[in-house]
Amino acid sequence: MKSQIKDLNLASKGEEKISWVKSHMPVLNLINQEFSKSKPFKGKRVVICLHLEAKTGYLAQVIQAGGAEVAVVASNPLSTQDDVVAALVDSGITAFAWHGATSEEYHEHLDSAVKFEPNLIIDDGGDLVALIHSKYPQLLKNVIGGCEETTTGILRLRSLEREGILQIPMIAVNDALSKYLFDNRYGTGQSVWDGIMRTTNLVVSGKTVVVIGYGWCGKGVALRAKGLGANVIICEIDPIKAIEALMDGFRVMPMLEAAPLGDFFITVTGNKNVIRQEHLEVINNNAILANAGHFDIEISKPDLEKATLDNRKVKTNIQEYTFSDGRKVFLLAEGRLVNLAAGDGHPAEIMDMTFALQALSLEYLTQNNSLENKVYKVTKEIDERVAILRLASLGIEIDKLSPEQEAYLDNWQF
Ligand code: NAD
Ligand code: ADE
């Protein structure tokens, strides 16, 4: 199939980017060497629906080295880096994506990706899997299974499974320990601030940061805000997470109370309308609004438009909204994931582990052909193997249980 991309001439810039991250992804490098010999995906078509930046580009090349015919498609219209996509096409991968695709183009690209007739899928957020189930069910018979990258995608998969609609086995990569403990927490923690700081060029120290959602991502965003010298407020709906935030040293209050206090607001709940009309009515003048959750529905853009007189672009990725009383707020990256739409996503060393899990889980699907149409955990062996390889790449050794200790831990009689 013919690729649908912005400009093939950008390829050399994309190759530079991929080459840089590759030199910081030692675990994936090892898997690349393994796959180049064992060819686990020989004769298989793989569709990868992820944020199309350099680390994803390298993952696509590793799957290709494993013998697959690979197509990539964007999981978000603003996170696509056109130079990376061009480099992939240059290396024989089919691509359907360009930066800033309209909603219509985004869905056309997903349609094209499904028509590539995948045998294996990597999805991020569930749009590809939802599309193939709803519009192209006849193609599901070719699909061995797939892997899902993020919390929101797994919620959608579990809903498909509960309703008895899921027709393929799916592996919940997000739920592996060596994924969410590092990617969601430290990856999001660092890359969200990278995205906000490179876009606004404003100081964080001494400011009030409101983080809405204290899950794995929210903890990382709050921790890094504290490290930058901010006063951090957490808004939660889960009483246990709220106590956790309190014990971690943060103030906890409802969003309505936090709205007049914050200088930066970061939503990271996976939920919708967490910043809405009632909050906007009292929100602090000059507040910066950013989202790090999967979809651009956490900050209600319809409410923002209703509550304000007008809005204008003041800088790339910054939209200024003016209220009738003269207050202003600034929305970053159209309310899409700020670390990917206004940044390069998580650091390479973090995505090394996440994408190693993706690659090994995809291989697992090819080796286990009696899986049911369910959502599966990443196996403990794969999860631990990724952690072991990461430690080894850092030259770090850890202790082992002695036989005596193993026996002690296994025995109820002391
Ligand atoms: P999580 O389930 O660990 O945390 C979400 C938290 O939000 C929970 O504690 C929940 O109680 C809270 N919450 C839900 N609704 C709320 C509301 N109305 N007000 C306040 N709190 C609310 O999930 P997570 O792994 O932290 O992921 C959060 C989102 O971020 C998901 O959409 C996920 O897909 C996405 N994600 C983004 C990135 C990124 O790179 N930006 C990386 C990983 C995950
Ligand atoms: N880069 C590619 N995919 C990503 C993701 N899901 N989160 C953060 N950075 C990424």
Side-chain angles (χ1 to χ4, degrees):
M1 275 173 89
K2 197 170 159 357
S3 289
Q4 298 153 25
I5 69 165
K6 185 76 103 324
D7 183 0
L8 193 55
N9 294 315
L10 300 170
S12 64
K13 206 160 162 250
E15 274 151 23
E16 271 176 24
K17 287 186 179 176
I18 296 174
S19 161
W20 169 255
V21 297
K22 204 168 163 172
S23 61
H24 295 88
M25 299 179 83
V27 180
L28 208 51
N29 288 341
L30 270 177
I31 294 170
N32 192 26
Q33 282 169 18
E34 247 179 60
F35 282 3
S36 302
K37 290 195 199 109
S38 61
K39 302 279 177 200
F41 309 117
K42 190 159 182 270
K44 305 277 187 293
R45 281 185 304 277
V46 178
V47 171
I48 298 177
C49 177
L50 284 170
H51 298 286
L52 298 180
E53 48 85 22
K55 282 90 72 185
T56 311
Y58 183 40
L59 172 68
Q61 290 177 339
V62 170
I63 305 296
Q64 183 190 39
E69 218 185 302
V70 179
V72 295
V73 63
S75 62
N76 184 298
L78 275 197
S79 59
T80 302
Q81 300 194 9
D82 290 318
D83 46 10
V84 169
V85 171
L88 294 182
V89 172
D90 211 29
S91 64
I93 288 170
T94 306
F96 310 106
W98 52 71
H99 181 84
T102 60
S103 171
E104 202 184 0
E105 288 164 349
Y106 174 76
H107 287 102
E108 277 168 18
H109 291 155
L110 282 170
D111 265 303
S112 302
V114 171
K115 289 177 188 155
F116 190 77
E117 300 194 10
N119 306 116
L120 290 158
I121 286 171
I122 296 180
D123 204 359
D124 185 337
D127 279 354
L128 188 74
V129 168
L131 178 68
I132 194 165
H133 277 80
S134 54
K135 199 166 157 196
Y136 300 96
Q138 74 283 7
L139 296 181
L140 283 163
K141 63 177 184 311
N142 303 325
V143 183
I144 298 165
C147 298
E148 169 55 53
E149 168 85 2
T150 197
T151 317
T152 286
I154 287 163
L155 283 176
R156 291 176 84 185
L157 284 178
R158 292 209 191 282
S159 152
L160 274 171
E161 185 185 35
R162 255 193 328 273
E163 291 177 28
I165 300 170
L166 188 66
Q167 295 300 313
I168 50 174
M170 288 294 300
I171 300 186
V173 167
N174 179 75
D175 294 355
L177 292 169
S178 50
K179 202 282 187 179
Y180 68 82
L181 287 177
F182 311 112
D183 174 310
N184 298 35
R185 184 165 42 172
Y186 299 108
T188 312
Q190 178 167 326
S191 62
V192 159
W193 285 108
D194 173 22
I196 292 174
M197 291 194 294
R198 74 163 84 167
T199 304
T200 64
N201 196 20
L202 293 175
V203 74
V204 181
S205 178
K207 299 261 180 81
T208 298
V209 169
V210 180
V211 179
I212 303 134
Y214 200 64
W216 290 106
C217 294
K219 287 189 226 304
V221 173
L223 183 70
R224 290 296 168 253
K226 188 180 185 175
L228 286 163
N231 301 302
V232 182
I233 296 174
I234 304 295
C235 302
E236 250 296 342
I237 45 105
D238 179 326
I240 296 173
K241 303 270 178 63
I243 296 181
E244 194 183 6
L246 206 61
M247 304 284 281
D248 287 344
F250 302 119
R251 279 192 289 165
V252 176
M253 63 184 75
M255 178 53 198
L256 205 53
E257 262 176 55
L261 307 178
D263 298 300
F264 292 90
F265 291 83
I266 301 154
T267 55
V268 66
T269 66
N271 207 339
K272 65 192 290 198
N273 299 337
V274 294
I275 297 184
R276 54 183 180 270
Q277 177 80 29
E278 65 196 274
H279 308 127
L280 295 169
E281 280 168 12
V282 292
I283 204 158
N284 199 7
N285 184 28
N286 288 329
I288 306 278
L289 312 183
N291 169 50
H294 186 77
F295 285 115
D296 60 340
I297 54 173
E298 302 215 7
I299 301 168
S300 170
K301 287 188 276 187
D303 281 5
L304 201 47
E305 285 188 9
K306 255 188 274 154
T308 51
L309 286 181
D310 61 15
N311 66 83
R312 66 183 182 114
K313 179 178 169 177
V314 286
K315 186 173 175 282
T316 303
N317 282 323
I318 307 184
Q319 195 78 11
E320 175 193 78
Y321 290 78
T322 307
F323 296 87
S324 56
D325 60 6
R327 279 175 307 130
K328 292 180 192 300
V329 290
F330 300 94
L331 178 68
L332 305 191
E334 300 177 16
R336 297 190 185 274
L337 313 103
V338 70
N339 59 328
L340 283 144
D344 291 321
H346 296 347
E349 299 97 323
I350 296 277
M351 294 315 287
D352 191 26
M353 283 192 282
T354 300
F355 285 164
L357 287 167
Q358 288 284 10
L360 295 176
S361 297
L362 207 67
E363 181 189 38
Y364 175 87
L365 284 167
T366 66
Q367 294 165 337
N368 293 275
N369 50 19
S370 57
L371 296 176
E372 293 173 52
N373 299 332
K374 287 186 179 164
V375 182
Y376 284 87
K377 285 185 167 176
V378 171
T379 65
K380 191 163 186 277
E381 291 70 32
I382 291 179
D383 206 354
E384 284 186 353
R385 183 167 171 221
V386 169
I388 290 165
L389 289 175
R390 182 76 206 150
L391 283 172
S393 77
L394 296 167
I396 295 173
E397 290 183 20
I398 58 170
D399 291 314
K400 286 194 173 63
L401 285 174
S402 68
E404 183 200 23
Q405 288 172 328
E406 256 184 80
Y408 172 76
L409 292 175
D410 262 355
N411 199 337
W412 65 273
Q413 274 178 318
F414 289 157

